[in-house]
Amino acid sequence: MKTYDWIVVGGGMTGAVLAYELVKTGFSVLLLEKDAVAENATRYSYGGLAYWSGSTPLTRQLCQEARDRYNILPQELDADIELRELDLLLTIPADSDPQVTAELYAQCAVPPCLLSVPEACELELLLNPGAIAGALTVKHGHIHPQKTVQAYIQAFLRAGGELQIGEVSQVTSGGVKTTTVTYHSANVVVCAGGLSRRLLKSVGVSIKVYFTHAEIIETPPVDLRLNTLVMPANLQRFKLESTSTEVDELWNKPGNQLAPPILDAGAIQFLDGSLRLGQISRVLTDVDAYINHEESEDWLRQSISHILPILGNLPGNWHHCLVAFSSNSLPVIGVISELPGVHIFSGFSNPLVLIPPLAQRFAKFLSGTEDDIIPQFSDFLILTGS
C-alpha cells in the first residue's frame, strides 16, 4: 500500500492551505476530509480578513505577511476568491461609552476610527440609530471562504496531491484509520478544527485545543444592499473562550456547559447577495450536544433586528458548526511528543488571516528550513497523557 510523506486530517481552510503548502514544498500528501459537502467553520465563516488587528509585533508581522500573500493568491491559485476591501463597522451599544470602547482597539496596527451615530448611519443605511451610541470603522479585507478553500484544494490536486473523503477514526504514528480504510504515512498533521481535541483524546492525548458550537442564519440572495461588514465592537466571544478554558479537566467530561451562551450580532453580504447573520457561541464539551435550533433562530433574529431591523425577518436557514480555539488566542502548532510523527495545526483566532502565512512557514519548517516564528507556537503546545 502507498505510503505518503504527510497525511493532512481535515479539509477546511486550515487543512486545505497546509496541504497545498506541503505539496508545493515537494512532499507527497494525502488530504482527508470527512464530508463531500463541507459543514465546517470555514463553510459558515463571514470571510473577513482583519489585517489591521495585529496588536503585538508577532501578530502585526503575520497580518502583513497575510496581506502580501492574499494579494498574489488569486493569480497563484488561478481562481476568483472574491478578494476585496470593504468597510468594517463595529457597533457600540447605546448604553456604552464610545470613547472607552475605542480604547479597546488602541493597540491595533490600524486603530479603527470612532464615528458618531449619524456618521455610522450614513456609512450603513440599514442601521437602527436607536440601538447604538456610535461605531468604529476600519478598512477590512474580505474573501468568499468556500471558494477560497476550493481554490486551494484544486491547486493542491494540480500539484500532485491526493484527496479522499472519509472520516478519520484513529490517528497513529504511522498513519490514520477511517471507518473503512487504513492510510500509511511518515507524518500526520491534525487540522480537524473543533474535532481535533476528540480525535486526539481517543488515543490518550489531551491537547489544549477547544471548540465552541457556533450558530448563524444564512439567507439566499436578496435585493437589499448591506454596505459594510457589521460586528459588535465589544465581542463577547473572546471573553467566553478565555473563561471556558480556565479548568482544562472540565473539557474531558461530556455534557458540561462551561459558561452561558453568548450572541454577537453581526452581518455580512456576499457578492451574490446572500447574507450570513449571527452568531451564537456555546461552550458545550460534547461535540454532538443537542441544540434547540428553533429557540436559537428566534434569539438570532431578535438580536439582528435590534441592530439591522430589515434583516431580522429575511428568509434563511439556521446552521451550526464547531469553531476551534486555544487558551491564549494563538494557534497550536507543533509535534505531539506522545505520538511520534503526529503534528497539530489548529486553534486559530483570526483564522483566515493567520492560516496562509503560518501554513507557508510551517511547511517550509517541516522540510528543514529554519524559521523564527513557528517554534514560538510549539511553546504553547502543552500536552498531557491520559
Side-chain angles (χ1 to χ4, degrees), residues 179-210:
T179 53
T180 58
V181 183
T182 297
Y183 296 100
H184 301 279
S185 66
N187 300 279
V188 176
V189 58
V190 176
C191 303
L195 295 173
S196 298
R197 184 181 179 92
R198 185 175 72 173
L199 183 59
L200 290 168
K201 186 67 176 176
S202 70
V203 291
V205 175
S206 290
I207 187 166
K208 294 194 173 183
V209 173
Y210 309 94

Side-chain angles (χ1 to χ4, degrees), residues 45-226:
S45 163
Y46 271 32
L49 302 172
Y51 303 130
W52 55 272
S53 64
S55 58
T56 66
L58 173 62
T59 55
R60 289 179 183 180
Q61 178 181 344
L62 290 172
C63 284
Q64 183 57 54
E65 290 181 13
R67 182 188 289 275
D68 295 340
R69 190 83 186 97
Y70 273 108
N71 283 339
I72 64 171
L73 201 56
Q75 181 178 0
E76 180 177 326
L77 301 182
D78 191 24
D80 180 10
I81 61 173
E82 298 187 5
L83 178 66
R84 57 177 171 152
E85 185 177 82
L86 45 67
D87 293 308
L88 173 65
L89 195 68
L90 300 167
T91 57
I92 301 171
D95 59 355
S96 296
D97 185 327
Q99 292 292 344
V100 172
T101 302
E103 283 299 312
L104 299 175
Y105 294 86
Q107 301 304 313
C108 292
V110 182
C113 298
L114 181 60
L115 301 178
S116 66
V117 173
E119 289 170 332
C121 293
E122 183 178 357
L123 187 62
E124 180 50 71
L125 301 177
L126 303 185
L127 273 179
N128 171 18
I132 61 172
L136 300 167
T137 189
V138 65
K139 293 296 182 182
H140 197 72
H142 192 259
I143 55 171
H144 193 294
Q146 296 156 273
K147 291 184 178 180
T148 303
V149 168
Q150 285 305 309
Y152 265 112
I153 290 175
Q154 291 304 311
F156 163 74
L157 295 173
R158 290 195 300 270
E162 297 182 35
L163 170 67
Q164 294 291 337
I165 303 300
E167 184 170 3
V168 174
S169 58
Q170 186 177 358
V171 173
T172 70
S173 293
V176 303
K177 294 180 180 180
T178 70
T179 53
T180 58
V181 183
T182 297
Y183 296 100
H184 301 279
S185 66
N187 300 279
V188 176
V189 58
V190 176
C191 303
L195 295 173
S196 298
R197 184 181 179 92
R198 185 175 72 173
L199 183 59
L200 290 168
K201 186 67 176 176
S202 70
V203 291
V205 175
S206 290
I207 187 166
K208 294 194 173 183
V209 173
Y210 309 94
F211 55 88
T212 55
H213 292 259
E215 304 164 60
I216 68 158
I217 293 172
E218 184 174 53
T219 81
V222 295
D223 290 334
L224 61 84
R225 178 178 173 83
L226 184 71

